[in-house]
Amino acid sequence: MKSFFEITGENGDTPTTSYLFSDSDRYFFDCGEGFQKFTKGRPNITLGKVKSLFITKLTWDCIGGLIGLFLTLAEYNIKIKVYGPKGLHKLFTSSRDFQYSLNVEIHEIDTDKVQIIKDELFIFYTLPIFKSINNNNNNNNNNNNNNNNNNNNNNNNNNNNNNNNNNNNQIKESIIDEIGLPKLTYYGKKPNFNQEIIENYQEPIVCYIGKTKDFRGKFYPEKAEALGVPKGIAYKHLQDGNSVLNKDGITITPDQVMQPSVKGTKIAVIRCPSLDYLDSLLTHTHLFKDIHVVNHITPQSVLTNDKYIKFMETITNQSLTIGGSGSSSSSITKHIIVNEENCERSSGCLSSDIQISKLRKFIPQLFPINDELIQRKQLPIDLKNSKILNTTNIIPCKDATHITIGPPQNAGEIQFLSMFLNNNNINNNNNNNNNNNNNNNNNNNNNNNEDIIDDNNEIIEEFINTKQGKIFKNQLDEKIKEIENDCDKVCFPKILFTGTGSSIPSKYRNVTGNFITLKDGSNLLLDAGESTFGQLYRFFGPIEIKKQLVNLKMIWISHLHADHHLGIPNLLEKRQQYSKELQINNHHHHIIKPLVIIAPNSIVQWIKELSSIIKMEFIGITIGKETQEFYEICQSLDIKSVTMVPVIHCSFAFGIVIEWNDGFKLTYSGDTRPCKFLSEMGKHSSVQIHEATFEDEKRNDAISKRHSTVGEALEVGRNMFCKFSLLTHFSQRYPNLKMGTYKDTNYGLAIDLLQIAPYQYPLVYRMIEPFSLLFEDEAQKKLDRKQQVIQQTLIQNPNKKFKAAKQPDDTIDPLEKDSKRLERYQRKYKKVESNLPAYLFNIISKSLSKIENTFDDLNNQPQIDDNDDF
């Protein structure tokens, strides 16, 4: 069996993920936010082959991608088992209003003992760990928490050993439960929403040891034939380890015709986020025998602790025989380190990075991303002069660290893969290199991605240097000079598009998010799809993101579809983390208020229920409810009025109109068909952000799925007498910008990580045509290169056959086929709440007015089912 273990690092915008591959199945360890986007374009990742997922901890970095993943996997109709700590079911039961009937089983692990999970290919051992109750390492989670109690020796997390010498002798070995299995607590096809209430949640973590089944020895058919074994099924029985009768009725055993089996390869995944968990982890030390590779998801403060170093040395000593006598260095246990301090950052969104690098060549003002800000310094690992651990077996994760685990003769071999390249582009590491050689491998690996971006920059430079390209560039430069020199230019509010795609993330477009920055540095967010935090991290970098999130005061959610709100928990978690850091650095002089979330009631309740397993502080306000907190937050954002308008999409779907005290007026549509009510409430807006999911020729799809086309969105802007329209929420079938053929000149097409101020609006219209031509030119060049490859292959191998494109069935009427497809969507629609008013909040007078909808006849418009994520 060919199999391997692959690990990606903590990249800031995408959390670490490790995955186990076999010929037929895939197993993932953790599924953090952005998992789907990260897997787009990755070699060897086939979501339809996912068999099981193993969760280590109930934080959004570990579970934030599960709901989105299973909504996507619903089309595969395969059952997937998810194993994790107690409370994992709450992720699914709390989200019942926007997902249902998912083919997923949740199995919660007993946190008092080690359990065994087996299937046809692998055996997994669960290793639960807890914070120590009476641990002298408490409060050592963060080196910043060391100001108040010198007796705890908090100034250095590594100076704890004298205090813990007695504890080492008291550690008891964990016991394996050979019979008990993780408890099935949730099955999506028959969900139980009446689960027990989780109280006094203890934040357990589960680490894992995985082992392949023993590798069968080589089968010698000539020996079987000589012993009189009939060919066919008897050969298979022998290879499966069963004895058979030969032609003379004599029993033939497998050892007579096969080489001896080879012990299976072991891997381990350890998540130890602080020293508080270390004593609990050490109770499992005796299980770490004959381990080929260990994935250590541990911060530097834990990794360099003397007790942890001794733990790694013990693992290595207990595994020295895995390769037998005279084994190569590839047989020595490899410790792969994953943390932000000791590992380089790799791009988790290379395709998007490449696209943005092209656009910046034309208009850098609209993509003010500083690539240097997002990089981080890679610190060396202090191994305390260990005689066992060194740079041959302590290896910081680089891009995708790929370790062979089968066949057994190659187990432990490491390759560093460039995550978004063909597997032919790899750097091999024989693991007998010195530190300098490892650094060279590291640099070469980085250059692969840099070379790709450089190649694409050459393509756009080539386009700019054409006659037509020069004309476009000169026109843009002249317009930029003109607007920059305008003394009366309006610089705020700035809009940063964190996602401009619909439904599911793609390589180029994340799902919906509009991050708005005001003059005083305050921020608000209109919708927050999955990976909103990751997009902000890519834009601002690891330092500035902390300030920006702390200054985020309000999130407004338009409706309950998952692509508009799954990013909320990560934003709450990270904002709390950064707020604590800021308060500590300021000696608690500045109290940061909780984030205000305004959303349909289902979303508010979802976050409240989810808070039972994930610590999140927020103020939840249901759309249409009048509260003192709402008025206070709007006053702090200098808002004059807010109008929340019911739109034509699903139950309790809203658009929003915000007017600031300086007269700037913004309308955001959320997801909707063209809505007259919204046009009326948003009259004379300075800008509208309107969804434009489909091109005009797909109007039937737009009608069926309750969305708008580009032309319809522009018509809404005209009816609104809006000064400028920014179109977003494009179907993922449109990865690149498309040139419109409209009479309007006051609109632009948004793209991820575009940040625009009001005075820059004219630039986004002027960039439509050159970018459309550029991408069309690139598409043609890709097609030409493909044809060249085919021709060269045929010259070298004239008998080579290429798979022909699937021909359409002439017996099926295309119009009839399309009609049936749209009917399937129509069957999902049902009558929904249609008499909701608009809620007009006057912030100055602190008053609420309800305005009846006399503009849209919602009763005659089929609306999308609440559970359809489009």
Side-chain angles (χ1 to χ4, degrees):
M1 177 180 71
K2 291 183 179 179
S3 54
F4 59 87
F5 188 48
E6 199 162 284
I7 304 167
T8 60
E10 288 280 3
N11 297 318
D13 56 331
T14 51
T16 180
T17 300
S18 50
Y19 21 102
L20 195 55
F21 290 70
S22 70
D23 292 333
S24 57
D25 298 317
R26 309 286 187 267
Y27 306 81
F28 288 85
F29 294 87
D30 289 331
C31 182
E33 183 181 70
F35 178 85
Q36 285 191 88
K37 185 174 183 180
F38 177 67
T39 58
K40 300 289 184 181
R42 292 281 290 111
N44 299 316
I45 296 182
T46 305
L47 294 181
K49 292 187 176 182
V50 176
K51 188 168 186 178
S52 301
L53 291 102
F54 299 89
I55 303 302
T56 61
K57 190 180 183 188
L58 299 187
T59 62
W60 212 244
D61 279 346
C62 298
I63 65 174
L66 284 174
I67 295 294
L69 173 65
F70 284 114
L71 286 169
T72 300
L73 286 177
E75 64 183 85
Y76 291 96
N77 196 31
I78 55 173
K79 182 186 292 185
I80 297 178
K81 296 180 179 180
V82 183
Y83 299 90
K86 182 179 180 180
L88 179 58
H89 71 274
K90 200 67 180 175
L91 172 67
F92 291 86
T93 57
S94 65
S95 59
R96 57 189 172 273
D97 286 323
F98 57 87
Q99 61 83 15
Y100 76 111
S101 196
L102 300 179
N103 203 2
V104 55
E105 288 185 357
I106 303 300
H107 297 259
E108 294 184 359
I109 291 163
D110 191 321
T111 48
D112 295 324
K113 50 195 171 185
V114 176
Q115 294 179 298
I116 302 175
I117 303 165
K118 297 181 180 180
D119 66 12
E120 299 83 4
L121 300 176
F122 290 92
I123 302 172
F124 298 95
Y125 298 84
T126 66
L127 315 179
I129 63 174
F130 288 91
K131 285 185 177 180
S132 299
I133 297 175
N134 297 314
N135 188 353
N136 288 319
N137 293 329
N138 288 343
N139 302 323
N140 280 343
N141 295 352
N142 191 314
N143 283 331
N144 292 321
N145 296 332
N146 52 35
N147 298 300
N148 298 325
N149 192 343
N150 293 328
N151 292 329
N152 286 334
N153 290 322
N154 288 340
N155 289 330
N156 190 325
N157 281 334
N158 299 322
N159 295 331
N160 306 300
N161 305 293
N162 292 333
N163 294 328
N164 290 311
N165 285 337
N166 293 330
N167 290 341
N168 290 338
N169 298 325
Q170 299 173 7
I171 293 176
K172 296 181 180 180
E173 290 186 353
S174 57
I175 299 174
I176 298 178
D177 181 358
E178 300 283 355
I179 302 175
L181 295 173
K183 181 181 179 182
L184 175 62
T185 57
Y186 178 89
Y187 176 42
K189 294 292 185 180
K190 297 179 180 179
N192 174 17
F193 296 118
N194 298 315
Q195 302 271 1
E196 60 180 324
I197 298 174
I198 300 174
E199 296 179 351
N200 301 320
Y201 189 63
Q202 300 181 53
E203 299 183 52
I205 292 176
V206 180
C207 304
Y208 297 91
I209 292 176
K211 175 182 176 295
T212 65
K213 297 290 182 68
D214 289 350
F215 295 96
R216 292 183 302 194
K218 183 179 179 180
F219 174 69
Y220 294 100
E222 63 275 13
K223 289 186 178 181
E225 184 178 6
L227 291 170
V229 178
K231 293 181 179 179
I233 193 66
Y235 280 20
K236 182 179 185 303
H237 288 326
L238 285 167
Q239 293 178 67
D240 290 339
N242 302 313
S243 298
V244 298
L245 297 177
N246 68 3
K247 297 175 182 179
D248 299 323
I250 300 172
T251 299
I252 306 299
T253 58
D255 60 287
Q256 292 178 269
V257 295
M258 295 181 68
Q259 286 184 345
S261 296
V262 179
K263 289 173 61 176
T265 303
K266 285 185 178 181
I267 59 99
V269 177
I270 296 175
R271 183 180 288 273
C272 187
S274 73
L275 293 171
D276 295 331
Y277 290 90
L278 185 50
D279 283 348
S280 182
L281 174 62
L282 295 179
T283 65
H284 302 301
T285 303
H286 64 290
L287 300 176
F288 287 87
K289 294 180 180 179
D290 300 332
I291 306 288
H292 283 76
V293 57
V294 184
N295 177 13
H296 296 270
I297 310 170
T298 54
Q300 181 173 250
S301 59
V302 174
L303 187 67
T304 56
N305 177 271
D306 286 346
K307 288 173 67 176
Y308 200 86
I309 289 176
K310 184 178 180 181
F311 170 60
M312 291 193 291
E313 289 177 336
T314 301
I315 294 175
T316 304
N317 284 333
Q318 292 180 161
S319 307
L320 287 178
T321 60
I322 55 177
S325 59
S327 61
S328 67
S329 60
S330 65
S331 300
I332 299 173
T333 302
K334 307 299 185 308
H335 299 272
I336 310 300
I337 309 304
V338 176
N339 61 39
E340 292 187 355
E341 300 98 332
N342 303 118
C343 303
E344 65 185 20
R345 181 188 179 275
S346 300
S347 172
C349 309
L350 185 61
S351 296
S352 178
D353 288 343
I354 291 170
Q355 187 181 61
I356 291 170
S357 72
K358 298 173 187 176
L359 304 180
R360 287 170 60 191
K361 285 285 183 178
F362 261 103
I363 310 181
Q365 291 83 356
L366 297 185
F367 301 93
I369 306 170
N370 188 338
D371 293 329
E372 295 181 359
L373 290 179
I374 204 169
Q375 301 304 323
R376 60 190 183 213
K377 186 178 180 181
Q378 185 178 351
L379 301 176
I381 300 174
D382 183 5
L383 299 175
K384 306 293 180 66
N385 300 315
S386 171
K387 296 181 179 179
I388 298 174
L389 307 176
N390 51 57
T391 55
T392 65
N393 55 14
I394 299 291
I395 304 166
C397 184
K398 308 169 187 177
D399 268 0
T401 302
H402 174 108
I403 308 100
T404 300
I405 61 175
Q409 62 268 26
N410 302 118
E413 293 180 355
I414 291 184
Q415 299 169 318
F416 297 116
L417 306 186
S418 294
M419 288 189 289
F420 299 96
L421 295 181
N422 186 286
N423 276 354
N424 293 327
N425 298 308
I426 57 178
N427 294 301
N428 293 325
N429 182 356
N430 294 323
N431 297 297
N432 54 2
N433 301 321
N434 58 30
N435 192 42
N436 290 332
N437 286 338
N438 280 334
N439 287 335
N440 289 336
N441 282 333
N442 174 29
N443 293 335
N444 291 336
N445 194 46
N446 259 350
N447 288 338
N448 283 329
N449 287 348
E450 292 173 2
D451 289 344
I452 297 175
I453 294 177
D454 288 343
D455 290 343
N456 280 274
N457 284 339
E458 289 179 9
I459 292 173
I460 194 166
E461 290 283 1
E462 184 179 309
F463 176 77
I464 291 175
N465 289 326
T466 64
K467 182 178 180 180
Q468 195 173 30
K470 288 179 180 179
I471 293 173
F472 285 133
K473 188 69 170 71
N474 290 336
Q475 289 175 345
L476 282 169
D477 289 344
E478 289 176 6
K479 190 63 180 178
I480 291 170
K481 185 177 180 181
E482 175 189 334
I483 63 176
E484 290 291 347
N485 292 331
D486 184 356
C487 298
D488 298 323
K489 62 185 179 184
V490 179
C491 298
F492 294 94
K494 290 183 178 179
I495 302 169
L496 169 62
F497 291 94
T498 59
T500 58
S502 66
S503 188
I504 60 175
S506 74
K507 292 191 297 183
Y508 300 99
R509 294 189 188 276
N510 193 45
V511 286
T512 304
N514 310 285
F515 189 81
I516 298 172
T517 300
L518 306 181
K519 188 175 182 179
D520 68 350
S522 297
N523 301 312
L524 63 148
L525 186 59
L526 304 180
D527 279 334
E530 185 178 343
S531 291
T532 295
F533 170 79
Q535 295 288 84
L536 293 172
Y537 186 99
R538 289 175 63 203
F539 187 87
F540 292 112
I543 305 301
E544 181 65 17
I545 182 63
K546 299 181 180 181
K547 173 185 172 183
Q548 295 297 333
L549 272 196
V550 168
N551 288 338
L552 177 61
K553 305 296 179 63
M554 181 176 80
I555 299 177
W556 183 86
I557 301 299
S558 62
H559 64 289
L560 55 79
H561 288 161
D563 57 324
H564 289 256
H565 62 74
L566 280 182
I568 292 175
N570 203 20
L571 293 168
L572 288 173
E573 277 193 312
K574 293 296 193 297
R575 187 176 187 269
Q576 285 175 214
Q577 174 189 334
Y578 298 156
S579 296
K580 289 178 182 177
E581 291 179 13
L582 181 62
Q583 290 173 6
I584 290 165
N585 292 336
N586 291 339
H587 304 288
H588 302 270
H589 290 166
H590 181 60
I591 302 301
I592 298 168
K593 294 182 179 180
L595 188 60
V596 173
I597 298 176
I598 303 157
N601 187 59
S602 297
I603 302 304
V604 175
Q605 295 305 315
W606 167 60
I607 306 171
K608 286 182 179 179
E609 288 189 38
L610 200 58
S611 297
S612 65
I613 58 170
I614 298 176
K615 292 182 179 179
M616 295 183 288
E617 296 177 4
F618 71 102
I619 297 172
I621 302 173
T622 299
I623 284 180
K625 298 297 182 182
E626 193 176 11
T627 68
Q628 182 64 26
E629 291 93 342
F630 175 71
Y631 287 120
E632 288 177 357
I633 199 64
C634 288
Q635 287 176 339
S636 72
L637 295 169
D638 199 32
I639 291 174
K640 178 182 178 181
S641 67
V642 176
T643 307
M644 303 179 199
V645 186
V647 294
I648 308 166
H649 185 58
C650 67
S651 287
F652 303 104
F654 284 83
I656 189 170
V657 181
I658 304 175
E659 185 173 2
W660 280 269
N661 286 315
D662 63 2
F664 191 92
K665 188 174 183 179
L666 179 149
T667 296
Y668 170 53
S669 69
D671 285 6
T672 184
R673 289 291 296 143
C675 180
K676 295 177 183 177
F677 201 9
L678 184 67
S679 296
E680 187 65 24
M681 295 297 98
K683 271 284 190 334
H684 304 291
S685 287
S686 307
V687 65
Q688 72 151 343
I689 304 172
H690 202 288
E691 74 117 289
T693 308
F694 295 101
E695 291 183 317
D696 290 352
E697 60 266 24
K698 291 288 184 179
R699 185 171 180 272
N700 285 340
D701 285 80
I703 292 172
S704 295
K705 298 181 181 181
R706 299 280 130 294
H707 286 296
S708 300
T709 67
V710 172
E712 289 173 332
L714 294 177
E715 181 66 24
V716 171
R718 294 187 211 111
N719 295 336
M720 193 185 291
F721 301 106
C722 180
K723 293 180 181 178
F724 203 88
S725 296
L726 291 168
L727 307 187
T728 185
H729 196 270
F730 303 107
S731 168
Q732 299 293 9
R733 72 182 71 197
Y734 312 126
N736 295 320
L737 295 169
K738 298 287 183 179
M739 181 174 67
T741 55
Y742 308 98
K743 61 183 179 181
D744 309 74
T745 58
N746 62 335
Y747 78 98
L749 308 182
I751 194 167
D752 283 19
L753 302 192
L754 163 73
Q755 186 186 53
I756 188 166
Y759 79 93
Q760 296 173 319
Y761 292 161
L763 296 180
V764 286
Y765 173 75
R766 290 175 176 265
M767 78 183 193
I768 294 175
E769 186 175 3
F771 289 169
S772 296
L773 293 174
L774 169 64
F775 291 128
E776 287 175 9
D777 183 56
E778 283 188 4
Q780 185 59 49
K781 287 182 177 178
K782 286 181 180 178
L783 183 60
D784 292 342
R785 287 197 294 269
K786 184 177 180 180
Q787 291 298 325
Q788 289 176 2
V789 170
I790 292 175
Q791 291 174 4
Q792 292 174 358
T793 303
L794 288 175
I795 292 173
Q796 297 172 1
N797 184 5
N799 296 323
K800 174 73 174 179
K801 294 183 179 180
F802 293 91
K803 187 176 180 180
K806 187 176 181 180
Q807 297 299 317
D809 189 345
D810 294 335
T811 63
I812 300 177
D813 183 356
L815 293 178
E816 181 181 351
K817 182 179 179 181
D818 196 52
S819 176
K820 289 182 178 179
R821 178 179 64 84
L822 295 176
E823 283 177 11
R824 287 198 297 272
Y825 290 113
Q826 292 288 358
R827 285 197 295 269
K828 295 181 180 179
Y829 306 149
K830 63 181 181 181
K831 186 176 180 179
V832 297
E833 184 65 47
S834 59
N835 59 352
L836 294 174
Y839 301 99
L840 171 57
F841 295 88
N842 186 314
I843 307 304
I844 297 175
S845 63
K846 294 186 178 181
S847 61
L848 168 62
S849 302
K850 297 180 181 180
I851 304 172
E852 183 181 353
N853 183 1
T854 60
F855 302 92
D856 298 298
D857 185 5
L858 299 182
N859 288 317
N860 291 329
Q861 299 202 41
Q863 300 218 357
I864 197 164
D865 186 282
D866 290 357
N867 297 302
D868 192 321
D869 188 30
F870 284 95

